[in-house]
Structure formats: structure tokens, C-alpha cells
Amino acid sequence: LACAVILLEAAVARMLELGNADQLVISGVRCFVQLSCLGFILAPIFATNSPTLVMAYVFGFMVLVSAYEAAARPKVTYPGMFSKAIISIGISLLVSGLLLLYIVQPDPWYDAQYVIPLAGMLINNSLSGVALALNAMIDHLYNHKEQV
């Protein structure tokens, strides 16, 4: 249903001859496939609601994917950038997540219904911050390499 909006936009773009209807159709199909895969991954996690499974998904999958994305964004890279991104995003999630769990107080504390969406929001903020900081730092070092 959510992908139907993208397909409707593609139909309107084709009628208005905007030239991006094909890209919108491809985006709609990708959206459907990605959300279906995510549903297959999350369904057992929500069904079992195990603290080990929830934390493994959050720290073992969500943090790793976001760290990879943060390390892949800058044009220039350096050795160990991926591991530093994992540490930055992981520590940020741990500190802000503990504070948020204290404020929200889900019962039980590992309830996947609360932990996974909240972790996603916190990781998204951390990803944006880490990617921007990495890009700014690397650009500055690259442009001023004679002074370093």
C-alpha cells in the first residue's frame, strides 16, 4: 500500500512528461522488496521478543549497516574509518538509548515494539552526525594536507 503512492506519482509524472517516471517505478519496486525483506527479518524478532535477539538485531545489524553507510559517504577514506564509525554510533546509541529507555520505561525494557523504532531514530541521528563530521574532517585534512 505504501508503495502505491510512489507508483501513483510515477503515473502522474508520465502524464506530465517529467522524465522521471521510470526512476519512480524502480524506486517503488525497490521499496516493496526492501520492506518485504525487512518484514521477514523483523517478524520473528517481534514474535519472540527476546532481549538477546532484539539487542543482536540493534547492535549486530542496525549499527553495522549504519556505520558502513557513514564510512562509505566521504569521498576520501582512511584505514580504520569503518571501525571508528561503529564505535561512534554504538556508543552514541548506548548512551542516548539508555536515557531514552529511562524516560519511556517500556515493560519489559527490551520490548521490540519500543526498542527497535527508538534505536532506529537514534541511529539515524548518529549516522547523520558521524557522516557530516567525517566528511568535514576529511575535507579539511585533505585540503590542508601541507599544514598537517
Side-chain angles (χ1 to χ4, degrees), residues 39-91:
F40 285 123
I41 293 170
L42 288 176
I45 295 172
F46 281 103
T48 58
N49 205 23
S50 159
T52 306
L53 203 54
V54 171
M55 292 302 127
Y57 177 74
V58 168
F59 286 99
F61 179 71
M62 293 174 73
V63 170
L64 287 177
V65 169
S66 62
Y68 174 78
E69 184 62 31
R73 286 185 182 180
K75 297 174 198 94
V76 180
T77 61
Y78 66 90
M81 192 160 75
F82 177 64
S83 62
K84 303 275 189 311
I86 290 173
I87 293 168
S88 298
I89 293 172
I91 290 174

Side-chain angles (χ1 to χ4, degrees), residues 70-71 73-74 76 78 81 84-85 88-89 125-141:
R73 286 185 182 180
V76 180
Y78 66 90
M81 192 160 75
K84 303 275 189 311
S88 298
I89 293 172
N125 288 335
S126 297
L127 168 64
S128 299
V130 168
L132 288 171
L134 270 174
N135 216 7
M137 180 190 71
I138 290 172
D139 282 347
H140 180 75
L141 290 174

Side-chain angles (χ1 to χ4, degrees), residues 9-146:
E9 289 175 354
V12 171
R14 187 169 303 278
M15 285 188 333
L16 296 175
E17 298 177 2
L18 297 177
N20 62 350
D22 293 339
Q23 291 174 332
L24 287 170
V25 169
I26 291 170
S27 298
V29 171
R30 281 187 58 211
C31 175
F32 175 77
V33 170
Q34 287 175 348
L35 290 176
S36 296
C37 291
L38 191 60
F40 285 123
I41 293 170
L42 288 176
I45 295 172
F46 281 103
T48 58
N49 205 23
S50 159
T52 306
L53 203 54
V54 171
M55 292 302 127
Y57 177 74
V58 168
F59 286 99
F61 179 71
M62 293 174 73
V63 170
L64 287 177
V65 169
S66 62
Y68 174 78
E69 184 62 31
R73 286 185 182 180
K75 297 174 198 94
V76 180
T77 61
Y78 66 90
M81 192 160 75
F82 177 64
S83 62
K84 303 275 189 311
I86 290 173
I87 293 168
S88 298
I89 293 172
I91 290 174
S92 170
L93 175 64
L94 190 63
V95 171
S96 56
L98 288 174
L99 179 65
L100 196 57
L101 284 176
Y102 177 75
I103 293 168
V104 175
Q105 295 183 350
D107 187 35
W109 65 268
Y110 55 84
D111 190 358
Q113 178 183 354
Y114 292 99
V115 172
I116 292 175
L118 291 174
M121 289 183 255
L122 295 173
I123 289 171
N124 184 37
N125 288 335
S126 297
L127 168 64
S128 299
V130 168
L132 288 171
L134 270 174
N135 216 7
M137 180 190 71
I138 290 172
D139 282 347
H140 180 75
L141 290 174
Y142 186 75
N143 291 333
H144 299 93
K145 58 185 164 192
E146 64 279 345

